Amino acid sequence: IASKVQKCHLQRICRMPQSAGKARIPEKLGPYRVIEEVGVGGLGRVFRGIDERSGRTVAIKVLHDKYVNNRKFLGIFHRELLIMSGLHHKHIVAYLDSCFEPPTCYIVTEFVEGWSGHAFLKKVGKVPPLVALCILIDMLQGIDHLHLHDTVHSDLTAANYLLNKVGRVMVTDFGLSCQLEIEDYKNYMVGTPGYYSPEHITEAPIVTQTDIYCAGLLLFEMIVGQKAVPASTDRRKVLTAMRKIPFNAIQLSDRKMTGMIRKLCKNSLHFNAPKRYQTVEAMMFACYEVLRRFKIRYARHAIKKFLIDKGLSPGPFRGHNQDIYNGLG
């Protein structure tokens, strides 16, 4: 199903919190036994399941029942399936299997024992700035791989990255991903309130710097504990907020760290895409500069120690000692 089918409906694709309601939970999907529902989004529901052939625990994303006869949403789902099947990276949730035989449509991926970024932030509140940078670097590695395939995620939110119990971060949910060779979503309003870039809500095309902007939003949210731009669908209100992001809210006990992280956020959250970091690699380099300055050498160990300290992962910590709380008052 060609991308034109998807673009017919992009004007209305705006992710909003949804509840699972009382929708039926299937007992089985192909060779997969369904155990429980673990998430729901605009396009489908996610279940934890068991592959009865291997005994492996998997995640199964199933197209909402109300869309199984809708060509527009079938096109979107099929396109996500094709994108995921071509991505193989340690910081992208691994594709395993799929079925596209309407009304049966699902995508099977590895099951991540951990949390979405949204659930993680609800548990911990603010994240120490050096740990937040470690999380961001993992995320950016996955996004960089996506960009190498001429694809922009275009919906990078706290709900769309996962953190497992050993501290690995993986990007997920490619339902709104934009393949740059054939589309740019120009003049279409896509994305998630609270995680819009200027391109999402203006006539500008989606570009790789769109993901960089959203990554900056995620970094700001982890460190400050609140969104840089309000979660609103009021275009005028959001555009005004984008031009008045409160960078002074990044206030750390170390003045040097404060300056470096504010600069990093400003360079990723500039309203005009050409003035942001031009590549994910450049943004990662800026993150590494901060980590090196404050002697964080092992990003995964930093994340794992924080998880243990918060009681989210079993201890004791057996890794390199690093001052992951440097900068906190």
Side-chain angles (χ1 to χ4, degrees):
I1 298 177
S3 65
K4 289 181 180 178
V5 174
Q6 185 195 27
K7 292 184 77 172
C8 291
H9 208 71
L10 279 174
Q11 189 72 33
R12 295 177 179 270
I13 296 179
C14 172
R15 301 224 196 256
M16 296 293 288
Q18 299 194 20
S19 60
K22 296 183 179 179
R24 178 183 61 88
I25 296 179
E27 294 183 2
K28 196 171 181 182
L29 292 162
Y32 305 99
R33 177 164 49 89
V34 175
I35 305 301
E36 63 179 339
E37 183 174 298
V38 294
V40 62
L43 192 59
R45 304 158 71 198
V46 181
F47 301 95
R48 181 169 67 91
I50 301 293
D51 185 339
E52 294 186 329
R53 299 163 299 184
S54 64
R56 179 177 184 173
T57 300
V58 297
I60 312 166
K61 181 175 181 176
V62 182
L63 183 66
H64 282 308
D65 291 344
K66 62 184 177 181
Y67 296 147
V68 297
N69 295 312
N70 185 314
R71 286 196 66 212
K72 296 171 184 177
F73 285 97
L74 285 170
I76 295 169
F77 193 84
H78 186 249
R79 190 168 157 287
E80 179 178 8
L81 182 163
L82 293 176
I83 289 172
M84 285 209 69
S85 65
L87 299 173
H88 306 281
H89 191 274
K90 65 181 179 179
H91 294 300
I92 292 176
V93 171
Y95 168 89
L96 301 175
D97 191 12
S98 60
C99 175
F100 191 77
E101 299 176 0
T104 303
C105 300
Y106 59 81
I107 301 171
V108 183
T109 64
E110 65 176 310
F111 184 80
V112 177
E113 289 283 357
W115 314 268
S116 68
H118 176 72
F120 172 65
L121 290 178
K122 284 185 71 174
K123 287 180 178 293
V124 304
K126 295 181 184 180
V127 179
L130 298 177
V131 177
L133 288 173
C134 292
I135 291 172
L136 188 70
I137 284 171
D138 269 13
M139 194 189 315
L140 289 174
Q141 289 183 58
I143 293 299
D144 187 49
H145 182 74
L146 193 64
H147 289 182
L148 289 173
H149 287 74
D150 293 319
T151 302
V152 178
H153 189 284
S154 79
D155 193 31
L156 192 58
T157 73
N160 289 343
Y161 72 89
L162 305 176
L163 176 62
N164 74 9
K165 293 187 176 181
V166 297
R168 182 161 66 100
V169 178
M170 289 149 282
V171 180
T172 187
D173 197 338
F174 301 92
L176 296 184
S177 293
C178 175
Q179 294 176 303
L180 297 176
E181 290 185 353
I182 58 175
E183 59 204 347
D184 59 19
Y185 291 177
K186 188 175 181 179
N187 299 321
Y188 293 93
M189 186 172 179
V190 298
T192 300
Y195 300 98
Y196 290 136
S197 73
E199 298 82 67
H200 283 110
I201 58 174
T202 64
E203 296 181 354
I206 297 292
V207 289
T208 53
Q209 290 78 27
T210 298
D211 283 343
I212 289 171
Y213 189 96
C214 295
L217 292 176
L218 290 171
L219 179 62
F220 186 101
E221 184 177 10
M222 283 190 281
I223 293 174
V224 177
Q226 64 184 35
K227 289 181 172 59
V229 178
S232 171
T233 56
D234 184 322
R235 188 189 300 259
R236 183 177 298 178
K237 180 179 178 180
V238 173
L239 288 172
T240 298
M242 285 176 171
R243 296 183 183 278
K244 297 180 178 180
I245 292 175
F247 293 108
N248 287 342
I250 302 171
Q251 187 64 52
L252 310 173
S253 62
D254 187 292
R255 182 178 298 180
K256 180 69 173 179
M257 187 187 298
T258 298
M260 294 179 79
I261 293 181
R262 281 184 186 173
K263 181 180 178 182
L264 200 161
C265 285
K266 288 179 180 179
N267 286 342
S268 57
L269 292 172
H270 200 287
F271 189 87
N272 297 315
K275 294 185 178 181
R276 296 174 209 152
Y277 293 114
Q278 289 302 286
T279 65
V280 169
E281 186 178 42
M283 188 175 185
M284 283 194 289
F285 180 79
C287 293
Y288 280 122
E289 282 292 295
V290 181
L291 294 178
R292 277 196 291 266
R293 171 67 175 78
F294 294 96
K295 300 180 180 179
I296 301 296
R297 297 178 58 194
Y298 303 95
R300 186 69 52 77
H301 290 182
I303 301 170
K304 179 65 180 295
K305 185 177 190 312
F306 182 64
L307 292 175
I308 291 173
D309 289 349
K310 285 293 183 179
L312 299 177
S313 187
F317 176 70
R318 295 187 178 90
H320 292 80
N321 287 320
Q322 306 169 108
D323 185 4
I324 65 171
Y325 298 106
N326 196 343
L328 293 182

